Amino acid sequence: MTPTEPTTRLLDLLSERHDQIRRISERAWNEQHDIYISNSEWYVLARIYKTKPTIAEVTRNVHISRQAIHKLIKNLKTKELVTVTDHPTSRKDKCIELTELGVRCYEQNEALKAELEQKIADSLGDAAFRQLKMLLKADWNL
């Protein structure tokens, strides 16, 4: 396969499409808001939405290094999207939760993603879109 030849490998196709959708989603957010939020930061925000996990729990659930999580959380705190508080029963643990601004940003971004998802559904057709979602949700026995 030459560099100009389109790929037909599933993993490459999935990766390319994921990258394209993330860029479109990020651009849609940045065009409408003053707060820049990276894809990694969105990933963390999604994991703590409507919960109050410890930082250690977030680290275990997001598959990002502990150091990177701490940096992301520091950035989110600077943007006033999260608060970090002492754990009520453990002196060594800290809890993280979204601020009111964090909740608003998260919910607004979810609405933008729903619009993008609807554009994809309109482009593919409802039946193909439902089938795509079903295939992606399926157990691939990996």
Side-chain angles (χ1 to χ4, degrees), residues 100-142:
E100 288 182 29
L101 175 61
V103 170
R104 279 196 314 275
C105 288
Y106 179 79
E107 291 175 350
Q108 289 171 4
N109 192 55
E110 285 298 299
L112 289 172
K113 289 186 336 188
E115 289 175 20
L116 178 55
E117 193 170 304
Q118 186 58 53
K119 287 180 184 177
I120 294 167
D122 293 344
S123 178
L124 296 177
D126 285 336
F129 182 72
R130 279 193 308 276
Q131 184 177 18
L132 174 62
K133 284 178 73 172
M134 181 187 70
L135 290 169
L136 291 171
K137 288 180 189 179
D139 181 0
W140 293 3
N141 297 317
L142 300 177

Side-chain angles (χ1 to χ4, degrees), residues 11 82 107:
L11 295 180
V82 301
E107 291 175 350

Side-chain angles (χ1 to χ4, degrees), residues 4-6 9 23 32 35 53 63 71 85 88 105 120:
T4 59
E5 198 176 314
R9 292 213 170 274
R23 279 186 280 113
Q32 296 180 26
I35 301 172
H63 310 291
K71 184 177 179 181
T85 56
C105 288
I120 294 167

Side-chain angles (χ1 to χ4, degrees), residues 8-59:
T8 57
R9 292 213 170 274
L10 175 64
L11 295 180
D12 294 335
L13 291 169
L14 287 170
S15 180
E16 289 169 10
R17 196 57 81 172
H18 176 260
D19 183 55
Q20 177 190 28
I21 291 169
R22 295 304 314 169
R23 279 186 280 113
I24 292 168
S25 178
E26 185 176 333
R27 186 173 51 241
W29 171 264
N30 289 331
E31 287 174 354
Q32 296 180 26
H33 299 86
D34 293 333
I35 301 172
Y36 171 79
I37 303 173
S38 71
N39 285 326
S40 297
E41 290 170 333
W42 283 121
Y43 191 57
V44 171
L45 294 175
R47 296 301 175 266
I48 63 176
Y49 180 68
K50 293 193 175 184
T51 65
K52 192 175 179 179
T54 65
I55 293 175
E57 289 169 336
V58 173
T59 302

